[in-house]
Amino acid sequence: SSRGALAAIAGLYVPLTILVALIGWRSSFGAAQSVAGFLTAAMGVAVTALVSAYWHLESESHPRSLTESVQLVRARALPILFSLGLAVSIVLILGLTVVGLPLALRQLVRYQFVVPVATTEGLSGRAALRRSGELVQDRWWRTAFTLLILVGVAALINSAIQLGLLVALGGLPLWGYVAIAFLTTGLLVPMVSTGPVLLYGDAAGTKRNQ
C-alpha cells in the first residue's frame, strides 16, 4: 500500500539517525548538526524522487513496487542531481541581486517539478527545467499557494515536535537531541514530498489531455 511504502521510506532515516548520533558522540554537537543538515537536504531530494518513481510506476498500469522505485531512482540519480543542481544555481544567482529577487522567486516555483520530471520522464539539465516550467506555467499561483501551505503546516508541526522534545529531553546531550530531531523531521518529509509529486502528476495529466 502507499502508506506502507511511505512508512518504509521514512524508515530510511533510522540508520541515518544512528550515524548522526555516532558522529555527535565521537566528535561534537557542531559536527552532528552539520551532518544532520546535509542529510536533511539530501534525503529531501531522495524522498521526492522515490515518491515520484513510486506513483509513476502505478500510472504505468502495473503494481507499485518500492524496490522498482529504488531501482528507477538509482538509474536516474545523475540526471536528477544535475538537473536539480542547475535549477538551484539559477535561483541562487538570481537571488544574489536585489533586482533578480522577483525572478528568483518566479523560477523557484517554476522549478518545483524538476525532480519528478528528471525521475520519471527521462529528461535532464535544461530540458528538465523547461519541462517543469511548462507544467507550472498556467498554474503558477496554484502551485505556489499549495506548496506554501504544505511547507507551512509541516513547519508548524515540526516546531511543535521540536519544542516538545526540547522539554522532554532536557537532560540529553545536545548531539542526542540533534539526532532525535533529525529523525522526527524525517517522519514528515514523505508527507511533504507527496504534495509536489501529486501536483506534478495533475499538471502532467492535464498537459497530455490538452
Side-chain angles (χ1 to χ4, degrees):
S1 67
S2 59
R3 282 183 294 184
L6 291 177
I9 292 172
L12 296 174
Y13 280 80
V14 174
L16 295 177
T17 298
I18 296 173
L19 175 63
V20 171
L22 286 174
I23 289 174
W25 176 53
R26 295 300 299 270
S27 183
S28 65
F29 160 70
Q33 199 170 36
S34 298
V35 172
F38 171 78
L39 290 176
T40 296
M43 284 301 293
V45 177
V47 170
T48 300
L50 280 171
V51 173
S52 302
Y54 185 75
W55 287 105
H56 170 69
L57 293 176
E58 172 71 6
S59 69
E60 292 297 309
S61 302
H62 66 274
R64 288 172 291 190
S65 165
L66 190 55
T67 301
E68 289 179 297
S69 301
V70 172
Q71 292 171 346
L72 177 58
V73 171
R74 186 170 57 188
R76 297 292 301 163
L78 289 180
I80 291 169
L81 292 175
F82 175 69
S83 303
L84 183 62
L86 183 59
V88 170
S89 298
I90 291 173
V91 172
L92 286 178
I93 290 171
L94 290 172
L96 288 176
T97 63
V98 177
V99 177
L101 281 175
L103 189 55
L105 178 61
R106 172 181 178 269
Q107 295 306 104
L108 177 65
V109 177
R110 286 174 61 87
Y111 293 158
Q112 285 300 310
F113 299 155
V114 165
V115 172
V117 165
T119 303
T120 65
E121 298 191 22
L123 300 176
S124 64
R126 293 186 179 276
L129 269 60
R130 281 196 301 270
R131 172 63 171 166
S132 179
E134 290 170 0
L135 292 175
V136 174
Q137 185 172 0
D138 297 327
R139 50 177 69 203
W140 191 94
W141 286 106
R142 176 184 176 184
T143 302
F145 183 68
T146 303
L147 292 172
L148 184 62
I149 290 177
L150 284 171
V151 172
V153 170
L156 285 174
I157 295 173
N158 189 51
S159 296
I161 292 174
Q162 301 302 324
L163 181 60
L165 287 173
L166 192 60
V167 173
L169 305 175
L172 197 69
L174 286 177
W175 57 262
Y177 170 76
V178 169
I180 295 176
F182 170 75
L183 177 61
T184 56
T185 299
L187 298 178
L188 296 174
V189 173
M191 179 191 73
V192 176
S193 299
T194 300
V197 172
L198 293 178
L199 282 174
Y200 157 71
D202 180 59
T206 301
K207 202 78 173 178
R208 280 194 301 267
N209 294 330
Q210 288 179 346

